[in-house]
Amino acid sequence: DAKTTQPTSMDCAEGRAANLPCNHSTISGNEYVYWYRQIHSQGPQYIIHGLKNNETNEMASLIITEDRKSSTLILPHATLRDTAVYYCIVRDAFTGTASKLTFGTGTRLQVTL
Amino acid sequence: GAVVSQHPSRVICKSGTSVKIECRSLDFQATTMFWYRQFPKKSLMLMATSNEGSKATYEQGVEKDKFLINHASLTLSTLTVTSAHPEDSSFYICSAPTGLDHYGYTFGSGTRLTVV
């Protein structure tokens, strides 16, 4: 799986949009970008994933650059409960054979009042 | 959505004893389970991959005789930490592919192991 780089930490005011960047310059054509988050002392939670088009769900939006070398996770209205470590992961699409997820260091997002 | 139930959530054991951690897939069949370990303020590190009905595959540097993995059914995988030492104290997390690309992988809630 391609390697990703993310800022170590970010702060965001409650109610504002949180924009979390991720670089994945070695991503290959069949690899998706996945985002997970881990709230303190819990297991990671799936947020969103995408291949090349921008995606949106009830939790977040994912913006992928045209060359697919980077992406941004957007939490439109951050709340205190969004304080967590956010992991950007690239991996092959599920093809019936499970491939392992490799976690980088992630971005520690602190949402403040 | 797919759920993995992990137990216990916390356990304290004495050095030299063994501890078993269970992960159950509640509404789907988990033919594969991934086991991770996480030290404070660090990222998740994959320890091993278990497949139902076959031997687990361990990552480099992980002692297979110390971390026994059993995946006897399509809904249950267990990790047993044998002869535990204080340095085994960590947060252990299991994860299974849901088979649905929409969700990717689902994770257990984790087990905080403290060896005293």
Side-chain angles (χ1 to χ4, degrees), chain A residues 100-102, chain B residues 34-37 44-49 59-60 62:
Chain A
K100 60 186 179 183
L101 283 181
T102 301
Chain B
F34 298 100
W35 287 93
Y36 293 84
R37 178 169 54 183
L44 285 77
M45 295 297 295
L46 182 66
M47 299 174 65
T49 303
E59 296 297 303
Q60 191 172 9
V62 178

Side-chain angles (χ1 to χ4, degrees), chain A residues 25-38:
Chain A
S25 58
T26 60
I27 192 170
S28 61
N30 60 340
E31 288 184 314
Y32 283 69
V33 179
Y34 278 82
W35 283 82
Y36 287 80
R37 74 179 182 183
Q38 185 179 25

Side-chain angles (χ1 to χ4, degrees), chain B residues 22-25 30 33 52 70-78:
Chain B
E22 292 188 349
C23 279
R24 295 180 182 272
S25 57
M33 191 75 74
E52 187 267 336
N70 185 278
H71 196 149
S73 77
L74 290 172
T75 59
L76 175 63
S77 178
T78 62

Side-chain angles (χ1 to χ4, degrees), chain B residues 82-103:
Chain B
T82 64
S83 187
H85 290 282
E87 55 265 32
D88 298 324
S89 297
S90 188
F91 192 56
Y92 293 86
I93 309 169
C94 59
S95 172
T98 63
L100 303 171
D101 201 55
H102 175 74
Y103 289 104

